[in-house]
Amino acid sequence: MLHACDLEEGRCYAYCPRTPTDLEQLRQALYDPKDLTPELGPFKGLYVTRAADESTRSSAQHGGTVTALVKLALEEGLLDTAVLTEESERFLPQGVSVSDPLGVVRASKSKFVTSPNVAAFNEAAKGGFEKIGVVATPCQALALAKMRLKPEPAKDNHIDKLSLVVGLFCGWALSWRDLARLLKGKADEDSIVGMDIPPSKYECMEVYTTNGTITIPLEEVLPSVKEGCQYCFDMTAEFSDLSVGSARVPEGWDAAKGWNQVIVRSRAGQELLDLARSKGVLEFRDLPEGNLEKLKTASMNKKKFCVAALVKKSGSSENLLYLDPQDPVLSRFIN
Amino acid sequence: MSVLLDGKEGMEYMAMGNEAIARGALEAGVKVASGYPGTPSSEIIERLADVAKEADIYVEWSVNEKVAAEVAAAASFAELRSLASMKQVGVNVASDFLLHLAISGTRGGMVLVTCEDPAAHSSTNEGDSRGYAKMMEFPLLEPGDFQEAKDMTKWAFELSEEIRNLVMLRSVTRMSHASGNVTFGRLPKVEAQAHYHFSGSMLDPDKGPVMSYGFKHAQQQQKLKKAAEIFEDSPFNTYQGPEKPELLIITCSVGNLYCKEAINLLGLEDRVGLLKLGTTWPLPPRLLKKHLSMTGEILIVEEILPFMEENVKVLAAEMAQEIGIKKFYGKHSGQIPSIGELSPDIVIQALVDLLDVGYETVPKEYAEKAGAAAFARAPNRQLTFCPGCPHRASFWSIHNALELDGRQGFVCGDIGCYGMAVLPTGFSTTKTGHAMGSGAGVASGFAKLRQFGMDQPVMAVCGDSTFFHAIVPALVNAVHHKSSFTLVVLDNSGTAMTGFQSHPGLTVNAMKDESPALDIAEICRSMGAKVEVRDPFDLKETQEALNDLMEYQEGAKVLVLKQPCALSPEKKAEKKYNMRVDQEICLGEDCGCNKLCTRIFRCPGLIWDMEKKAARIDEVICAGCGVCADICPSGAIVREEA
Ligand SMILES: Cc1cc2nc3c(=O)[nH]c(=O)nc-3n(C[C@H](O)[C@H](O)[C@H](O)COP(=O)(O)OP(=O)(O)OC[C@H]3O[C@@H](n4cnc5c(N)ncnc54)[C@H](O)[C@@H]3O)c2cc1C
Ligand code: SF4
Ligand code: SF4
């Protein structure tokens, strides 16, 4: 906070993803209760997809599904702008509002540092856009969901302009400064073209450079993870219209890198995915056997670690700080 | 034409203490005067500078007090009379040279005037620099009224020439800045001929090289003995009262005025004797013996430290066999405080306690009423930067840059208006504050603690005058030792706090002659520091520059923030912008602002309109700098070209 604020509970407090949150109330209010699952939140279906356009894929993180969907939504006029994440100097990400469908690809690729995208959404809304889409990490999607319940007087709440949330799967994000420190001496900033975190069994982070791939052992990376990520229960961005992550395919990680897994959660999400299919913007492949189960296990593991971290921090299993110990999903992890 | 030069012999003039000192110097035929500004001393050099051309004297605002003393000493070595002036904290800066000067000795009369600030009204401390006279073994004079301020100054030059050493003359705020009647003496016509002789032997005070050497110590102590001898008959040591008083007060400086008033108010003229000493170091032993023998009880009245009190007690102990055992009252016994200024009331209270006389100093009820009345119509405002002050803008950006950086960075400060940045007016940004230039030195030290795990970014601030005064060595140190911190030079184009005296960064000197201005940014660059220059009124640019320097640049970094002081002669009373608040747009107490302008930014030009529940500009106070328009999150503060 730049300056002390003496309002007890203003908007920051109401919308912050780490202030007390009734998850069940959000799930019930924002989604079809029939779709709610404990493991993956609202769930209408799981798909494996990639952008049909080769050049979109080659500049994307994985299969380019996110880029393709956002571009489509802008082209079709479903959105008049999209809040995406670009990188400025030294890996410092920033939220940008992109209205030109051709500009979407410039913001492709994952930046493993949290970005002020909710602020960028507010700026876009103040800037006169009426149908705004946001590509969001799970915590950003949660903040936007909290805004949708409008706990505050309407003044200055622009949430009605939010038309689409594309969530990203997320294990954790890094502190910006620590990432720079981590890479110092390992790779020249200008030579880095991307990064990724392969499935957990590889226990490393990969840094792609113009001179090849560098792998950094996970144990070296983990101290740089933002503390707040420890207390995050959400791996699949449950409070979005559809969520996108990397795929798992039987051919292994190298092949999987070119695909995405998509969870559809809402009607708006389903309609966009269907549109992408009918327009040929996305390619689909069959869901490999066992993928849904693996995803559920991974998602539940994050919830389990989150509850354990919160109990440790509060010192009591009755107290999950910002979360409700009676929550129907999280309460399973309290012994 | 100034009355100080115009005023004929015999003319009575209501002079400020510092004017009296300046006139005294002129009556002594001073030829060179140098100083560094500092309240309450500045008017001495200013008044002398006013008449410099006509009086054919050389006057300068030196870069710091040590150099001021050195410049004045050179004149003395060349057989001219010279004066160096400074405030008490400046004596510390000069002390390195003074220690050497005291042993090398002087030729033309040389007087060091120190104007001190008991209660630290305009200082960061109230250090009493009289101890230097004792430690460095040169004589100390303390005028007890305005006439003496003039007469004693003139005499100090004669004394200096007689003993061939520096003489220190000490004034205090209530002497320097109060006024009283002074009868002028004659202004001499001095044909000055400066020449430095050095062909004699080392020990020849008149013709040898002037150097400080240990073997001259005996000679130096002889000079001090001679001074004590001269002081035995000095007209500046006076006694008034009965031959055998019940109580003898020994006092000096403004204590003299308070004691006279107290004795008079209590009607104690027949019971209390008052020995006022003008020559407070070395004490004249025979004079003291005579007066200590008058009575058994002695009260010593002086401001701040028990300097005279302890020296008198040493003499009394040495003379005990002859004069008997005395009972002393003063600071050690608790009657006289050793902090802050004295007042007639304090002396009255001491006399009431010691002599069992009835007197109520100020009736309690009256004091309470007067206190309440004094504040009744004053705006409820903390100590704050002036409206339109560049420092508010600078510290806004510094504060925000540090918060955005997020590593608990902090600022090391020093002395100047910007010292207030420790308070909410500077967003409580500075976290250390010591001597002039110390911010940079301390920051340079903090920045070397990385090897012990300290990763907080460090900044230092200094003013433009301070930069020349004391920052340069600290910055050299930092560059050489690769100490990574950011120095922010708050360049407001003058020694603003003390009244816009010139400094080496400006194009005119004290005598209003054109002078080459030294460029701070270029100096820092030439040292090897990474340097940026911004206008602090451009908040965004300033904050970005700070974050950039903190984050990406290693080693010593300098950001020069250039914007003249709001009270500077070039800006005074001119508004750049007409400001208003669009109260429809103002978010006021709502979330998203919560009175950012009047609660946090707090320029006195912004006020809270209780009725409309929105901010408003106080047009009388607003200086029209336009900065607040850029802090308002809703764009409600509107800036229009004036
Ligand atoms: C911090 C982080 C952690 C992740 N962790 C996992 C994980 O553990 N498992 C997993 O399967 N997937 C994870 N992902 C998602 C994954 O990296 C891909 O973003 C996702 O598979 C979509 O791939 P794509 O090819 O469709 O992306 P692209 O088409 O390249 O599009 C990526 C989109 O993400 C946006 N974006 C990039 N960085 C950020 C950011 N920091 N915040 C918000 N938006 C951003 C871009 O603007 C762009 O629109 C993570 C992503 C991030 C940003
Ligand atoms: S900062 Fe702007 S919005 Fe906030 S109270 Fe002041 S004028 Fe109103
Ligand atoms: S313009 Fe704003 S900041 Fe400047 S003096 Fe006026 S009220 Fe103060």
Side-chain angles (χ1 to χ4, degrees):
Chain A
M1 209 152 52
L2 277 189
H3 297 281
C5 173
D6 57 10
L7 293 180
E8 291 251 308
E9 293 183 6
R11 280 190 306 239
C12 319
Y13 192 83
Y15 306 149
C16 172
R18 294 290 176 272
T19 52
T21 306
D22 185 342
L23 296 178
E24 189 57 14
Q25 185 196 13
L26 288 177
R27 294 179 192 120
Q28 297 289 344
L30 302 176
Y31 294 93
D32 184 343
K34 289 201 300 295
D35 292 338
L36 296 181
T37 68
E39 300 89 350
L40 298 173
F43 183 86
K44 285 184 184 293
L46 176 66
Y47 305 85
V48 177
T49 64
R50 68 177 186 189
D53 174 39
E54 156 67 34
S55 73
T56 303
R57 281 207 305 271
S58 63
S59 46
Q61 183 69 15
H62 296 129
T65 302
V66 174
T67 300
L69 287 174
V70 173
K71 185 164 171 261
L72 176 67
L74 286 171
E75 279 165 352
E76 294 295 315
L78 303 173
L79 302 177
D80 53 21
T81 197
V83 173
L84 307 175
T85 305
E86 280 182 3
E87 200 164 76
S88 62
E89 47 196 329
R90 292 221 198 168
F91 322 110
L92 185 67
Q94 63 191 78
V96 288
S97 157
V98 176
S99 306
D100 176 4
L102 298 175
V104 177
V105 71
R106 271 206 303 278
S108 294
K109 285 214 164 96
S110 304
K111 291 89 195 173
F112 287 92
V113 170
T114 39
S115 165
N117 288 2
V118 178
F121 162 75
N122 281 320
E123 290 302 318
K126 276 193 235 164
F129 292 107
E130 296 297 330
K131 291 179 283 179
I132 305 172
V134 182
V135 177
T137 56
C139 49
Q140 292 162 353
L142 177 59
L144 292 167
K146 289 173 85 170
M147 287 166 78
R148 286 172 70 184
L149 284 204
K150 296 187 190 166
E152 278 289 290
K155 195 171 176 184
D156 235 23
N157 187 339
H158 309 286
I159 199 64
D160 293 339
K161 299 180 177 177
L162 180 68
S163 304
L164 179 75
V165 178
V166 179
L168 300 176
F169 291 10
C170 183
W172 36 252
L174 298 170
S175 134
W176 161 68
R177 202 172 264 127
D178 287 352
L179 175 62
R181 210 173 289 157
L182 190 68
L183 294 175
K184 209 173 167 186
K186 295 195 173 74
D188 178 25
E189 189 191 339
D190 297 332
S191 73
I192 295 173
V193 291
M195 298 171 207
D196 210 346
I197 298 135
S200 49
K201 67 174 182 192
Y202 293 92
E203 293 199 348
C204 73
M205 180 166 133
E206 290 180 344
V207 181
Y208 311 121
T209 77
T210 44
N211 310 318
T213 301
I214 296 165
T215 52
I216 304 175
L218 214 49
E219 59 179 17
E220 235 181 274
V221 181
L222 291 180
S224 304
V225 170
K226 299 269 285 181
E227 193 199 341
C229 296
Q230 281 183 51
Y231 311 116
C232 175
F233 61 90
D234 187 359
M235 194 198 87
T236 59
E238 295 177 19
F239 294 96
S240 57
D241 292 301
L242 37 77
S243 313
V244 186
S246 65
R248 299 288 180 269
V249 296
E251 303 95 283
W253 172 234
D254 273 340
K257 273 184 204 168
W259 290 88
N260 293 108
Q261 288 189 117
V262 182
I263 298 174
V264 174
R265 305 186 180 280
S266 71
R267 218 173 62 203
Q270 188 71 62
E271 282 167 9
L272 182 62
L273 195 76
D274 292 346
L275 185 67
R277 191 197 292 263
S278 66
K279 292 252 170 194
V281 165
L282 289 184
E283 288 173 11
F284 288 70
R285 65 177 268 180
D286 289 342
L287 188 67
E289 207 177 316
N291 266 27
L292 180 61
E293 290 318 309
K294 276 189 204 150
L295 195 58
K296 283 183 172 174
T297 309
S299 172
M300 285 310 244
N301 273 343
K302 187 163 179 187
K303 295 184 199 306
K304 190 161 96 187
F305 289 134
C306 160
V307 169
L310 287 169
V311 167
K312 188 166 171 219
K313 193 170 170 76
S314 75
S316 151
S317 58
E318 314 272 285
N319 183 355
L320 295 189
L321 299 170
Y322 79 105
L323 295 172
D324 179 6
Q326 316 287 331
D327 179 83
V329 179
L330 300 178
S331 58
R332 301 169 178 220
F333 301 108
I334 299 175
N335 19 19
Chain B
M1 185 71 141
S2 155
V3 70
L4 289 190
L5 206 55
D6 223 11
K8 296 260 162 10
E9 185 177 4
M11 170 182 171
E12 206 171 333
Y13 176 65
M14 173 94 158
M16 194 197 223
N18 282 347
E19 290 177 315
I21 292 170
R23 170 77 188 196
L26 291 169
E27 288 182 11
V30 74
K31 281 287 144 197
V32 170
S34 51
Y36 185 80
T39 311
S41 73
S42 311
E43 297 81 6
I44 298 171
I45 293 294
E46 283 175 346
R47 290 301 99 83
L48 290 172
D50 290 345
V51 302
K53 296 266 159 63
E54 277 169 273
D56 187 28
I57 57 180
Y58 173 74
V59 182
E60 75 169 36
W61 282 124
S62 305
V63 69
N64 65 29
E65 293 85 350
K66 176 168 175 274
V67 175
E70 288 158 350
V71 165
S76 159
F77 300 160
E79 292 169 21
L80 301 183
R81 287 189 168 181
S82 67
L83 172 147
S85 139
M86 55 202 64
K87 69 183 291 180
Q88 82 275 7
V89 277
V91 179
N92 302 320
V93 179
S95 66
D96 191 10
F97 176 69
L98 296 178
L99 179 67
H100 293 273
L101 182 65
I103 195 157
S104 82
T106 55
R107 285 182 187 162
M110 175 169 171
V111 179
L112 172 78
V113 182
T114 161
C115 299
E116 317 216 335
D117 188 12
H121 296 293
S122 327
S123 311
T124 48
N125 65 62
E126 56 172 356
D128 181 337
S129 62
R130 292 178 298 173
Y132 280 114
K134 187 171 177 182
M135 181 176 106
M136 298 181 180
E137 302 174 276
F138 48 70
L140 169 69
L141 306 178
E142 296 187 71
D145 61 32
F146 303 94
Q147 184 68 44
E148 275 194 7
K150 179 189 79 67
D151 294 344
M152 213 183 245
T153 305
K154 177 170 182 277
W155 182 64
F157 287 92
E158 292 160 22
L159 175 66
S160 168
E161 272 166 23
E162 201 160 339
I163 63 165
R164 285 278 187 271
N165 212 350
L166 177 72
V167 172
M168 179 169 175
L169 183 125
R170 177 193 187 241
S171 172
V172 290
T173 305
R174 306 294 166 179
M175 177 66 63
S176 282
H177 280 177
S179 299
N181 281 359
V182 175
T183 306
F184 287 170
R186 199 174 63 85
L187 285 178
K189 282 246 171 299
V190 188
E191 287 303 322
Q193 180 57 57
H195 188 79
Y196 179 47
H197 298 276
F198 47 73
S199 52
S201 89
M202 288 275 212
L203 278 172
D204 181 347
D206 297 324
K207 298 280 181 260
V210 185
M211 295 210 179
S212 91
Y213 278 118
F215 59 76
K216 289 167 106 177
H217 198 182
Q219 194 182 51
Q220 181 189 9
Q221 290 187 342
Q222 274 313 113
K223 294 175 180 179
L224 205 61
K225 275 215 176 93
K226 188 168 175 190
E229 198 52 46
I230 294 170
F231 291 169
E232 294 287 2
D233 305 314
S234 166
F236 298 116
N237 301 325
T238 57
Y239 176 78
Q240 73 186 56
E243 256 172 53
K244 293 266 168 232
E246 282 171 52
L247 178 79
L248 172 70
I249 300 181
I250 305 181
T251 190
C252 61
S253 186
V254 288
N256 176 44
L257 304 173
Y258 306 148
C259 290
K260 279 184 176 165
E261 191 170 335
I263 292 169
N264 178 273
L265 276 171
L266 296 175
L268 291 174
E269 289 86 347
D270 297 336
R271 296 174 63 189
V272 173
L274 179 64
L275 175 64
K276 189 275 295 178
L277 294 178
T279 66
T280 43
W281 181 258
L283 289 174
R286 291 198 300 283
L287 182 87
L288 262 296
K289 188 171 172 188
K290 176 177 150 197
H291 290 93
L292 291 173
S293 306
M294 290 171 153
T295 182
E297 308 225 333
I298 294 128
L299 170 68
I300 300 186
V301 178
E302 63 190 318
E303 279 178 329
I304 323 183
L305 297 181
F307 176 77
M308 194 170 61
E309 181 172 331
E310 287 171 1
N311 296 330
V312 168
K313 283 176 178 170
V314 169
L315 281 182
E318 286 171 359
M319 301 167 179
Q321 270 199 328
E322 297 142 83
I323 63 172
I325 305 293
K326 304 292 172 187
K327 177 106 186 83
F328 283 100
Y329 303 100
K331 298 185 194 285
H332 286 284
S333 62
Q335 270 80 16
I336 304 294
S338 55
I339 52 170
E341 292 185 304
L342 295 182
S343 66
D345 279 350
I346 291 173
V347 183
I348 286 171
Q349 195 59 55
L351 291 176
V352 165
D353 291 349
L354 295 175
L355 296 175
D356 203 19
V357 280
Y359 185 83
E360 199 184 353
T361 46
V362 178
K364 212 171 143 232
E365 220 176 281
Y366 174 86
E368 276 167 12
K369 265 194 189 165
F375 288 102
R377 290 185 158 264
N380 185 6
R381 193 186 288 152
Q382 281 186 342
L383 216 56
T384 180
F385 292 128
C386 301
C389 174
H391 295 332
R392 180 179 290 100
S394 298
F395 283 104
W396 180 265
S397 301
I398 293 173
H399 170 90
N400 290 0
L402 287 169
E403 288 298 318
L404 286 170
D405 178 273
R407 287 176 291 177
Q408 288 192 295
F410 58 94
V411 177
C412 301
D414 66 15
I415 300 174
C417 293
Y418 51 92
M420 281 198 293
V422 67
L423 304 173
T425 190
F427 319 108
S428 309
T429 316
T430 47
K431 300 297 181 195
T432 71
H434 299 88
M436 287 182 73
S438 289
V442 171
S444 152
F446 270 126
K448 291 309 299 180
L449 302 182
R450 280 193 190 167
Q451 86 184 79
F452 307 108
M454 189 171 150
D455 62 356
Q456 295 159 281
V458 185
M459 285 196 201
V461 287
C462 73
D464 40 341
S465 188
T466 307
F467 177 85
F468 295 106
H469 179 284
I471 289 289
V472 175
L475 195 58
V476 168
N477 187 69
V479 171
H480 179 64
H481 293 104
K482 297 188 189 163
S483 192
S484 208
F485 74 97
T486 310
L487 169 68
V488 183
V489 183
L490 306 163
D491 182 351
N492 58 6
S493 306
T495 317
M497 191 183 196
T498 50
F500 299 101
Q501 291 82 5
S502 70
H503 64 59
L506 304 177
T507 50
V508 284
N509 65 16
M511 298 190 295
K512 307 270 184 305
D513 288 332
E514 216 175 283
S515 310
L518 281 72
D519 184 324
I520 295 176
E522 283 309 317
I523 292 173
C524 298
R525 271 188 203 112
S526 71
M527 288 183 195
K530 163 90 184 154
V531 182
E532 297 287 341
V533 182
R534 296 286 185 279
D535 175 359
F537 283 178
D538 189 332
L539 300 176
K540 187 166 176 286
E541 285 252 311
T542 302
Q543 180 237 298
E544 282 174 2
L546 284 166
N547 280 115
D548 192 64
L549 288 172
M550 252 190 296
E551 191 65 46
Y552 300 131
Q553 308 294 336
E554 282 298 314
K557 299 149 280 192
V558 179
L559 176 66
V560 182
L561 293 178
K562 268 180 107 68
Q563 180 66 241
C565 168
L567 302 180
S568 70
E570 54 191 291
K571 267 193 184 174
K572 218 168 181 175
E574 269 205 24
K575 285 192 183 187
K576 185 151 187 245
Y577 297 105
N578 289 324
M579 306 297 294
R580 67 185 169 82
V581 174
D582 185 332
Q583 296 193 326
E584 290 299 307
I585 301 179
C586 172
L587 289 170
E589 287 166 328
D590 284 352
C591 178
C593 177
N594 189 19
K595 310 205 293 191
L596 190 69
C597 58
T598 51
R599 189 174 60 90
I600 304 283
F601 187 68
R602 292 207 220 182
C603 171
L606 287 153
I607 44 181
W608 181 244
D609 187 332
M610 302 268 215
E611 237 167 67
K612 302 253 175 63
K613 292 219 171 285
R616 189 155 71 72
I617 296 280
D618 183 333
E619 283 133 35
V620 178
I621 292 181
C622 169
C625 71
V627 170
C628 54
D630 292 325
I631 66 112
C632 172
S634 67
I637 307 182
V638 187
R639 167 169 66 195
E640 280 151 5
E641 246 13 92

